[in-house]
Amino acid sequence: MEYNHREIEQRWQHYWRENEIYRAVEKPGKKKFYVLDMFPYPSGAGLHVGHPLGYIASDIYSRFKRQQGFNVLHPMGYDAYGLPAEQYAIQTGQHPEKTTVANIARYREQLDKIGFSFDWSREIRTCDPEYYKWTQWAFIRMFNSYYDLDADKAKPIENLVAHFEKQGTEGVHAACSKNLKFTAEEWKAYSEKEKAEVMMNYRIAYQGETMVNWCEALGTVLANDEVTEGVSVRGGHPVEQKVMNQWCLRVSAYAPRLLDDLEKLQWSDSLKETQRNWIGRSEGAEMRFPVVGKDFDLEIFTTRADTSFGVTFMVLAPESKYVDMVVTAEQKEAVDKYLSEVSHKTERERQIEKKVSGVFTGAYAVNPISGKEIPIWVSDYVLAGYGTGAIMAVPAHDSRDYAFARHFDLPVIPLIEGADVSEESFDAKEGKMINSANDRLDLNGLEVKEAIAKTKKFIEEAGIGRVKVNYRLRDAIFSRQRYWGEPFPVYYKDGIAHVMDESALPLMLPEVDAYLPTSTGEPPLGRAKNWKTPEGYPIELCTMPGFAGSSAYYLRYMDPRNGNALVSKEADEYWRNVDLYVGGAEHATGHLIYSRFWNKFLFDLGMVVEPEPFKKLVNQGMIQGRSNFVYRIKDTNTFVSKGLKDQYDAAPIRVDISMVSNDVLDIDRFRQWRPEFADAEFILEDGKYNCGYAVEKMSKSMYNVVNPDDIVDRYGADTLRLYEMFLGPIEQSKPWDTNGIDGANRFLKKLWGHFNKLDKGSNAPMTKEELKTMHKLIKKVTGDIENFSFNTSVSAFMVALNELTAQKSTNPEAMEIFTRLIAPFAPHIAEEFWHGLGKEGSVVDAEWPEYDEANLKEDSVKYPVSFNGKTRYMIDVPADASKSDVEAAALAAPDAAKWLGDKTPKRVIVVPGKIVNIVI
RNA sequence: GCAGGAAUGGUGGAAUGGUAGACACGAAGGACUUAAAAUCCUUUGGCCUUUACCGGCUGUGUGGGUUCGAGUCCCACUUCCUGUACCA
């Protein structure tokens, strides 16, 4: 009987569906395990073979955990809001929901063919009002909360208002945009509008004038993680800096906890490191530099307090509010000119040019440590968004300050012994201090680290500043001037932003006549009719960004149809958090930060029981495409095989990989591909046309896309699953190569053949060899799955089958164990075997086998015998032989004399079970 | 620049400090077949020796070190990948 994958896979997929085998139900008292995949954005292109890689791995793991007796939650859904659907809507006028729904249907069809154990009854879509209701709900809660730095958690904003009424800002330690100072009396005297502005300064979801990444081509602002190298991640459009009034989330308030709690997580070191860099903690000091002739100070932040004696000038960011305050009348014109030049440059232009530029403000400040007067400059190499937007420049020991000083001919004072600063600055934090003393502070002779500590102490004692920890992590910009996203539950009354009552949720996304900005430049929601509250107040026109809907979706899966809460107390306390999260590393600084922030906020409010959402995280690698090329000789229709192309003037042309097998071109199909190739001529090697190849991204334009549907149709889902796992370590990126898939398919065919040869009626016990093969396999596969080493477990199955074949095994018991072990990898064929062996129920619930070390023991052990570390021959000794017996056997072996000669061994090392090494 | 990771046959890759190259692909040869496909068998890191068997040498990016023994541990370097960056 042939192995008919189509029939088998259809039968069991139907069986699983009919019997609702994968439905997860809370079972108090039964240990749970939550396995989650990063849910996909349903793009129009459908899935290619790279997409299911992580899903297959997580599916194997959740099936394994289920067989081990855990109550497994393994859901799937769609991150349905996104730019591509909206761009498509702009072009075609078709509602993005329509394309999204169609794409989801296609995704589902493709996913179903692979035989995943998802509980589809828990499916969620971020664009579903029943889902985004809870995204809007969380926003309202954030709006109504502030971050208490003493308690180190979010609290209701009413608490803060009550405090203002009693004591004003006295004793308030809260995360805020600006440090405010007022008394209770002043607070009470404020108008409604003024009060609203003050509270905005503290809310966790707040509206503020901030520097944003504005992308003209997309017509929207973008978050920092959506911009890379000055262009948008989606589409690669230029991005410029602009001040706009935007909704923001005070993620920065959570920076210390986001950093500290990384310790608790079982994530890869590289991913944790990426997050640490993104959060960017740096210890330093804030110092005040009095401005000459003015009654205010410039505040700066530095990590190199030790270099204070080498400060020869100061620099302000162009956007700094201090610029206008210090500039002198004579320099005003020059400064204004510079500011306007800088403001017209995009971020990208600034980065590419990297030209030193700047202008003197005409003002001077006093170095509070050395007492010297130094000039104040403005330059765009200082960023407004980090620290205080002003720096003390130490050209001798900072390369940027150095470049600036040399360009404008400012003095450079070396502060470290032996540092040669004639050509470049000495940035390393090492060496002994020089030139750093006056009657108040003496750093000379100290090591840099000691000098930093001493200076910090001095700064605090002298009252010229304070020790401070700075974070690079900035608040998340939460507004998008787009249509296809969650509407903000916000309306404006007398110009003051109010959130809606939770009972008004969900606030449904309205219909519009076009998906473009209005003629007055308002976002697309400006086109919606009656976009007002029942009382007639206008509603916010921006929508939320992509990460809004994906920040708490893992909680919603726990209780997806609950109309009264994001997740019920019971469901949350049972499922708690994600035990294993599988997805791409590209979300390290976006989704994985926002989700952790969102979860911590809900944790502060007592809505969830776990402070971290994802306990263990595995990043699957990307599967790249493997493109093929033919080489056309210039100005001809003749193509030369790869090995001979260097003898001609030939240019590569990409060919569709479906016409190529093992890099050999199917010439007939190539001729039919395009009319221009119909009469193509070929120069062959050994009668074949060999194509060149390259590894690149899998995409239609490269003709290298492999569709999983085609693989499933031809080889079956079980083959696809085994082969994807066999490709290599799950975390590694690798090119897809359809050629190797025959190996996985052959293995299943052989296994099928083996099954059909079984002596099904037999009750005979397994032979010693069979026992050994099976227990070796149990041990290996169990360990491999725990370590996410799926490629080696697939190999182990192949080895075990070869051994059973060599043993001429027809034992159904051995096959039964094999079936249970391979069920997570190839569930369809395993189910077929399971029922074929007369077992009850589904293989999905077949108990995971345990191995017995006793069956792995050998009667005799083979030892390699080495001389000075070089293996020379093998000996065979009884398994229970003592070390000295082994040593004697090694020296008594017939080959011993040959290698030992007339020498006597200096030492003999016997490693039990491993090796004998004779030192001569 | 900084941080993290990697480097093993023609290819993907395997190896708790103990016989490097498991397993698979590809390739070569053979069996079956009118033929092809499918299937099965043999060989397959390199070099040398031998009619053959048997052997030998060499070999995990480069150079050192630790060890009886290093792909594996330590130091330095080279190359590549990933992330990030005027972050003071």
Side-chain angles (χ1 to χ4, degrees), chain A residues 309-313 393-398 401-407 409-415 419-426 435:
Chain A
F309 287 97
V311 178
T312 52
F313 57 101
V394 186
H397 303 288
D398 182 290
D401 296 344
Y402 187 86
F404 194 84
R406 283 287 182 246
H407 190 266
D409 205 17
L410 294 158
V412 178
I413 307 171
L415 301 167
D420 175 14
V421 296
S422 57
E423 293 295 327
E424 57 182 2
S425 62
F426 181 84
N435 299 335

Side-chain angles (χ1 to χ4, degrees), chain A residues 474-608:
Chain A
R474 287 185 236 172
D475 290 345
I477 293 157
F478 205 60
S479 301
R480 296 292 180 276
Q481 291 68 28
R482 305 289 294 195
Y483 173 74
W484 190 228
E486 299 87 350
F488 280 85
V490 168
Y491 62 93
Y492 295 90
K493 186 175 161 187
D494 306 325
I496 299 172
H498 292 262
V499 288
M500 294 176 184
D501 191 86
E502 284 170 15
S503 64
L505 300 182
L507 172 65
M508 308 273 282
L509 188 62
E511 295 296 322
V512 291
D513 57 358
Y515 306 99
L516 288 165
T518 65
S519 53
T520 55
E522 284 180 331
L525 287 189
R527 296 169 178 272
K529 291 199 180 75
N530 293 319
W531 191 232
K532 293 186 179 88
T533 63
E535 298 79 28
Y537 299 119
I539 300 176
E540 168 69 48
L541 298 180
C542 288
T543 54
M544 297 186 194
F547 67 82
S550 59
S551 288
Y553 76 111
Y554 58 92
L555 291 169
R556 190 61 181 167
Y557 280 134
M558 296 175 185
D559 195 7
R561 308 287 169 252
N562 190 333
N564 302 316
L566 168 63
V567 52
S568 72
K569 202 89 198 145
E570 297 74 46
D572 181 58
E573 277 171 3
Y574 183 70
W575 297 113
R576 306 189 75 84
N577 59 3
V578 177
D579 295 282
L580 174 70
Y581 197 26
V582 179
E586 67 273 19
H587 296 107
T589 53
H591 164 61
L592 289 173
I593 292 266
Y594 299 127
S595 238
R596 293 181 62 216
F597 153 76
W598 206 284
N599 188 86
K600 283 186 188 304
F601 171 73
L602 294 176
F603 176 79
D604 288 352
L605 264 55
M607 300 287 179
V608 302

Side-chain angles (χ1 to χ4, degrees), chain A residues 35-38 49-61 74 76 116 118 580-584 618-621 623 724-725 730 788 790:
Chain A
V35 181
L36 183 64
D37 293 288
M38 289 186 187
V49 286
H51 294 113
L53 183 76
Y55 303 156
I56 294 171
S58 64
D59 195 57
I60 290 170
Y61 201 83
H74 186 40
M76 183 46 92
F116 292 120
F118 295 128
L580 174 70
Y581 197 26
V582 179
V618 172
N619 290 126
Q620 93 275 10
I623 291 194
E724 292 225 1
M725 292 303 102
I730 197 79
F788 259 72
F790 299 120

